[in-house]
Amino acid sequence: MRLIVTTSREPSRRTRSFVKDLVATIPHAEKVNRGKATLMDLRNLIIRRGAYGLVMVLEKRANPSALVFYIPGESELKRVLMMRISGVKLGREMSDYQKPLGIKELVIKPSSIPEGLPSDVGNALIDMFKPRIYTSDMPPPRAIEVVVTGDDEVAEINFVCTSSSKYCGPTIKVFKVLRFK
């Protein structure tokens, strides 16, 4: 199981840093520099690498503005969903940040996510990042837990190392989730 993460063409330095943080957080993710690759080139890359999908980070005014999840179709790249982002906080901008070293698993507990937009974001993350769902009181040790909080206006995604309870990934603020047919 592999996920490819890339950017729109000619990404800003901040977007490249965001992708680097995101790939370091998701154990089965692999960063690919897009260059001049078309969507068809990216579809063929997904198939060659044996990945289940691709997340493309779009940007607006040199800041990440959306995460778009694609899967390979018969003859094209199919857009599955988009999470619109209102802001991100990179690891280097957090005071209590820890690099995720030696972590092999991404986990999520859907029952702890509030209803409304946070729940939509949680479901989108399950489709996009394929974390293992757990239901017990304690998250598994040596994993990264995806924590989604917020209300109907803005949902916040945090990645927390379960062994230290420190942030170990970017913070993402999402204001809309769109699903495509």
Side-chain angles (χ1 to χ4, degrees), residues 18 22 55-58 64-69 79-88 117-129 146 148 155-157 159 172-180:
F18 172 69
L22 195 60
V55 172
M56 185 180 297
V57 179
L58 305 181
S65 66
L67 296 176
V68 185
F69 179 58
R79 216 170 27 167
V80 177
L81 62 89
M82 176 190 294
M83 286 195 307
R84 298 291 312 271
I85 298 171
S86 61
V88 298
L117 179 63
S119 180
D120 292 345
V121 168
N123 290 329
L125 290 171
I126 290 169
D127 292 345
M128 195 182 296
F129 297 154
V146 182
V148 182
E156 186 171 290
I157 304 166
F159 298 91
I172 307 168
K173 292 192 179 201
V174 177
F175 68 89
K176 187 182 236 178
V177 176
L178 300 167
R179 289 194 179 268
F180 303 101

Coordinates of all heavy atoms in Angstrom, one line a residue, residues 18 22 55-58 64-69 79-88 117-129 146 148 155-157 159 172-180:
F18 N 5.6 22.0 3.2 CA 4.4 21.3 3.7 C 4.3 19.9 3.2 O 4.1 18.9 3.9 CB 3.2 22.1 3.2 CG 1.9 21.4 3.5 CD1 1.4 21.2 4.8 CD2 1.1 20.9 2.4 CE1 0.2 20.6 5.0 CE2 -0.1 20.2 2.7 CZ -0.6 20.1 4.0
L22 N 4.3 16.5 5.4 CA 3.2 15.5 5.2 C 3.7 14.1 4.9 O 3.3 13.1 5.5 CB 2.3 16.0 4.1 CG 0.9 15.4 4.0 CD1 0.1 15.6 5.3 CD2 0.1 16.0 2.9
V55 N -2.1 12.2 -3.9 CA -2.6 13.4 -3.3 C -1.8 14.6 -3.9 O -0.6 14.6 -3.9 CB -2.4 13.4 -1.8 CG1 -2.8 14.8 -1.2 CG2 -3.3 12.4 -1.1
M56 N -2.5 15.6 -4.5 CA -1.9 16.7 -5.1 C -2.2 17.9 -4.2 O -3.3 18.2 -3.8 CB -2.4 17.0 -6.5 CG -1.6 18.1 -7.2 SD -2.2 18.4 -8.8 CE -1.9 16.9 -9.7
V57 N -1.1 18.7 -3.8 CA -1.3 19.8 -3.0 C -1.4 21.0 -3.9 O -0.4 21.3 -4.7 CB -0.1 20.0 -2.0 CG1 -0.3 21.3 -1.2 CG2 0.0 18.8 -1.1
L58 N -2.5 21.7 -3.9 CA -2.7 22.9 -4.7 C -2.3 24.1 -3.9 O -2.3 24.1 -2.7 CB -4.1 23.0 -5.2 CG -4.7 21.8 -6.0 CD1 -6.1 22.1 -6.4 CD2 -3.8 21.5 -7.2
P64 N -0.4 26.5 0.6 CA -1.2 25.4 0.3 C -2.7 25.7 0.4 O -3.1 26.3 1.4 CB -0.8 24.3 1.3 CG 0.6 24.7 1.7 CD 0.6 26.2 1.7
S65 N -3.5 25.4 -0.6 CA -4.9 25.8 -0.6 C -5.9 24.6 -0.7 O -7.0 24.8 -0.4 CB -5.2 26.8 -1.7 OG -5.1 26.1 -3.0
A66 N -5.4 23.5 -1.1 CA -6.3 22.3 -1.2 C -5.4 21.0 -1.3 O -4.3 21.0 -1.8 CB -7.2 22.4 -2.4
L67 N -6.0 19.9 -0.8 CA -5.5 18.6 -1.0 C -6.5 17.9 -1.9 O -7.7 17.8 -1.6 CB -5.4 17.8 0.3 CG -4.4 18.3 1.3 CD1 -4.5 17.5 2.6 CD2 -3.0 18.3 0.8
V68 N -6.1 17.4 -3.1 CA -6.9 16.7 -4.0 C -6.5 15.3 -4.1 O -5.3 15.0 -4.4 CB -6.9 17.4 -5.4 CG1 -7.9 16.7 -6.4 CG2 -7.2 18.9 -5.4
F69 N -7.4 14.3 -3.9 CA -7.1 12.9 -4.0 C -7.6 12.3 -5.3 O -8.7 12.5 -5.7 CB -7.8 12.2 -2.8 CG -7.5 10.7 -2.8 CD1 -6.3 10.2 -2.7 CD2 -8.6 9.8 -2.8 CE1 -6.0 8.8 -2.7 CE2 -8.4 8.5 -2.7 CZ -7.1 8.0 -2.7
R79 N -10.6 12.2 -10.2 CA -10.6 13.0 -9.0 C -11.7 12.4 -8.0 O -12.8 12.3 -8.4 CB -11.0 14.4 -9.4 CG -10.3 15.5 -8.6 CD -10.5 16.8 -9.1 NE -11.7 17.1 -9.9 CZ -12.2 18.2 -10.2 NH1 -11.5 19.3 -9.9 NH2 -13.3 18.4 -10.9
V80 N -11.3 12.1 -6.8 CA -12.2 11.5 -5.9 C -12.7 12.5 -4.9 O -13.9 12.6 -4.7 CB -11.5 10.3 -5.1 CG1 -12.5 9.7 -4.0 CG2 -11.1 9.2 -6.0
L81 N -11.8 13.3 -4.3 CA -12.3 14.3 -3.3 C -11.3 15.4 -3.2 O -10.1 15.3 -3.6 CB -12.5 13.7 -1.9 CG -11.4 13.0 -1.2 CD1 -10.7 14.0 -0.3 CD2 -12.0 11.9 -0.3
M82 N -11.7 16.5 -2.6 CA -10.9 17.7 -2.4 C -11.2 18.3 -1.0 O -12.3 18.4 -0.6 CB -11.1 18.8 -3.5 CG -10.3 20.1 -3.2 SD -10.9 21.4 -4.3 CE -10.4 20.9 -5.9
M83 N -10.1 18.6 -0.3 CA -10.2 19.3 1.0 C -9.7 20.7 0.8 O -8.5 20.8 0.5 CB -9.5 18.6 2.1 CG -10.1 17.3 2.6 SD -9.5 16.6 4.1 CE -7.8 16.5 3.9
R84 N -10.5 21.7 1.0 CA -10.1 23.1 0.8 C -9.4 23.5 2.1 O -10.0 23.3 3.2 CB -11.2 24.0 0.5 CG -11.9 23.7 -0.9 CD -11.1 24.0 -2.1 NE -10.5 25.3 -2.0 CZ -11.0 26.4 -2.5 NH1 -12.2 26.4 -3.1 NH2 -10.3 27.5 -2.4
I85 N -8.2 24.1 2.1 CA -7.4 24.4 3.2 C -7.5 26.0 3.4 O -7.2 26.7 2.5 CB -6.0 24.0 3.0 CG1 -5.9 22.5 2.9 CG2 -5.1 24.5 4.2 CD1 -4.6 22.0 2.5
S86 N -7.7 26.4 4.7 CA -7.6 27.8 5.0 C -6.3 28.2 5.6 O -5.9 29.4 5.7 CB -8.7 28.2 5.9 OG -8.7 27.6 7.1
G87 N -5.5 27.2 6.0 CA -4.2 27.5 6.6 C -3.4 26.3 7.0 O -4.1 25.2 7.3
V88 N -2.1 26.3 7.1 CA -1.3 25.2 7.6 C -0.2 25.8 8.5 O 0.1 27.0 8.4 CB -0.6 24.5 6.4 CG1 -1.6 23.8 5.5 CG2 0.4 25.3 5.7
L117 N -18.6 19.2 9.9 CA -17.4 19.3 9.1 C -16.3 18.4 9.6 O -15.6 17.8 8.8 CB -17.0 20.8 9.0 CG -15.8 21.0 8.1 CD1 -16.0 20.6 6.7 CD2 -15.4 22.5 8.2
P118 N -16.0 18.4 10.9 CA -14.9 17.5 11.3 C -15.1 16.1 10.9 O -14.1 15.4 10.6 CB -14.8 17.7 12.9 CG -15.4 19.1 13.1 CD -16.4 19.2 12.0
S119 N -16.3 15.6 11.0 CA -16.6 14.2 10.6 C -16.4 14.0 9.2 O -15.9 13.0 8.7 CB -18.1 13.9 11.0 OG -18.4 12.6 10.7
D120 N -16.8 15.0 8.3 CA -16.6 14.9 6.9 C -15.1 14.9 6.6 O -14.6 14.1 5.7 CB -17.2 16.1 6.2 CG -18.7 16.1 6.2 OD1 -19.3 15.0 6.5 OD2 -19.3 17.2 5.9
V121 N -14.3 15.7 7.3 CA -12.8 15.7 7.1 C -12.2 14.4 7.6 O -11.4 13.8 6.9 CB -12.2 16.9 7.9 CG1 -10.7 16.7 8.0 CG2 -12.6 18.2 7.3
G122 N -12.7 13.8 8.7 CA -12.2 12.5 9.1 C -12.5 11.4 8.1 O -11.6 10.6 7.8
N123 N -13.7 11.4 7.5 CA -14.0 10.4 6.5 C -13.1 10.6 5.3 O -12.7 9.6 4.6 CB -15.5 10.5 6.1 CG -16.4 9.9 7.3 OD1 -16.0 9.1 8.0 ND2 -17.6 10.5 7.4
A124 N -12.9 11.9 4.9 CA -12.0 12.1 3.7 C -10.6 11.7 4.0 O -10.0 11.1 3.1 CB -12.0 13.6 3.4
L125 N -10.1 11.9 5.2 CA -8.8 11.4 5.6 C -8.7 9.9 5.5 O -7.6 9.3 5.1 CB -8.4 11.9 7.0 CG -8.1 13.4 7.1 CD1 -8.0 13.8 8.5 CD2 -6.9 13.8 6.3
I126 N -9.7 9.2 6.0 CA -9.7 7.7 5.9 C -9.6 7.3 4.5 O -8.9 6.3 4.2 CB -11.0 7.2 6.6 CG1 -10.9 7.4 8.1 CG2 -11.2 5.7 6.3 CD1 -12.1 7.1 8.9
D127 N -10.4 7.9 3.6 CA -10.3 7.6 2.1 C -8.9 7.9 1.5 O -8.4 7.1 0.7 CB -11.4 8.3 1.3 CG -12.8 7.8 1.7 OD1 -12.9 6.7 2.3 OD2 -13.7 8.5 1.3
M128 N -8.4 9.0 1.9 CA -7.2 9.6 1.3 C -5.9 8.9 1.9 O -5.0 8.5 1.1 CB -7.1 11.1 1.6 CG -6.1 11.9 0.7 SD -6.1 13.6 1.1 CE -7.8 14.2 0.7
F129 N -5.7 8.9 3.2 CA -4.5 8.4 3.8 C -4.5 7.0 4.3 O -3.5 6.4 4.7 CB -4.1 9.3 5.0 CG -3.8 10.7 4.6 CD1 -4.0 11.7 5.5 CD2 -3.4 11.1 3.4 CE1 -3.7 13.1 5.2 CE2 -3.1 12.4 3.0 CZ -3.3 13.4 4.0
V146 N -4.1 10.6 13.9 CA -4.7 11.7 13.2 C -5.8 12.2 14.1 O -6.7 11.4 14.4 CB -5.2 11.3 11.8 CG1 -5.8 12.5 11.1 CG2 -4.2 10.6 11.0
V148 N -8.7 15.0 14.6 CA -9.5 16.0 13.9 C -10.5 16.7 15.0 O -11.2 16.0 15.7 CB -10.4 15.4 12.8 CG1 -11.2 16.4 12.1 CG2 -9.5 14.6 11.8
A155 N -12.4 22.8 10.5 CA -11.9 21.6 11.1 C -10.4 21.7 11.1 O -9.8 22.2 10.2 CB -12.4 20.4 10.4
E156 N -9.8 21.2 12.2 CA -8.3 21.2 12.3 C -7.8 19.8 12.4 O -8.3 19.0 13.2 CB -7.9 22.0 13.6 CG -6.4 22.2 13.7 CD -6.0 23.2 14.8 OE1 -6.3 24.4 14.7 OE2 -5.5 22.7 15.8
I157 N -6.8 19.5 11.6 CA -6.2 18.2 11.6 C -4.8 18.3 12.2 O -4.0 19.2 11.8 CB -6.0 17.7 10.1 CG1 -7.3 17.7 9.4 CG2 -5.3 16.3 10.1 CD1 -7.1 17.5 7.8
F159 N -1.4 15.8 13.7 CA -0.8 14.5 13.7 C 0.0 14.4 15.0 O 0.9 15.3 15.3 CB 0.1 14.3 12.5 CG -0.6 14.4 11.2 CD1 -0.7 15.6 10.6 CD2 -1.1 13.3 10.6 CE1 -1.4 15.7 9.3 CE2 -1.8 13.3 9.4 CZ -1.9 14.5 8.8
I172 N -3.3 21.3 9.8 CA -4.0 21.7 8.6 C -5.4 22.2 9.0 O -6.1 21.5 9.7 CB -4.2 20.5 7.6 CG1 -2.8 19.9 7.4 CG2 -4.9 21.0 6.4 CD1 -2.8 18.6 6.6
K173 N -5.8 23.4 8.6 CA -7.2 23.9 8.8 C -8.0 23.7 7.5 O -7.6 24.3 6.5 CB -7.1 25.3 9.3 CG -6.5 25.5 10.7 CD -6.7 26.8 11.2 CE -6.1 26.8 12.6 NZ -6.5 27.8 13.5
V174 N -9.1 23.0 7.6 CA -9.9 22.7 6.5 C -11.3 23.4 6.6 O -11.9 23.3 7.7 CB -10.1 21.2 6.3 CG1 -11.0 20.9 5.2 CG2 -8.8 20.5 6.2
F175 N -11.8 24.1 5.6 CA -13.1 24.7 5.6 C -14.1 24.1 4.7 O -15.3 24.4 4.8 CB -13.0 26.2 5.4 CG -12.6 26.6 4.0 CD1 -13.6 26.8 3.0 CD2 -11.3 26.8 3.6 CE1 -13.2 27.2 1.7 CE2 -10.9 27.1 2.3 CZ -11.9 27.3 1.4
K176 N -13.7 23.1 3.9 CA -14.7 22.5 3.0 C -14.2 21.2 2.5 O -13.0 21.0 2.2 CB -15.0 23.4 1.8 CG -16.1 23.0 0.9 CD -16.3 23.9 -0.2 CE -17.7 24.4 -0.3 NZ -17.9 25.4 -1.3
V177 N -15.1 20.2 2.3 CA -14.7 18.9 1.7 C -15.7 18.7 0.5 O -16.9 18.8 0.7 CB -14.9 17.7 2.7 CG1 -14.6 16.4 2.0 CG2 -13.9 17.9 3.9
L178 N -15.1 18.4 -0.6 CA -15.9 18.2 -1.8 C -15.6 16.8 -2.3 O -14.5 16.4 -2.4 CB -15.5 19.2 -3.0 CG -15.7 20.7 -2.7 CD1 -15.0 21.5 -3.7 CD2 -17.2 21.0 -2.7
R179 N -16.7 16.1 -2.6 CA -16.6 14.7 -3.2 C -17.0 14.7 -4.6 O -18.1 15.3 -4.9 CB -17.4 13.7 -2.4 CG -16.7 13.4 -1.1 CD -17.3 12.2 -0.4 NE -16.7 11.9 0.9 CZ -15.6 11.2 1.0 NH1 -15.1 10.5 0.0 NH2 -15.1 11.0 2.2
F180 N -16.3 14.1 -5.5 CA -16.6 14.1 -7.0 C -17.2 12.7 -7.3 O -16.9 11.7 -6.7 CB -15.4 14.4 -7.8 CG -14.8 15.7 -7.4 CD1 -13.6 15.7 -6.6 CD2 -15.3 16.9 -7.9 CE1 -13.1 16.9 -6.2 CE2 -14.7 18.1 -7.5 CZ -13.6 18.1 -6.7

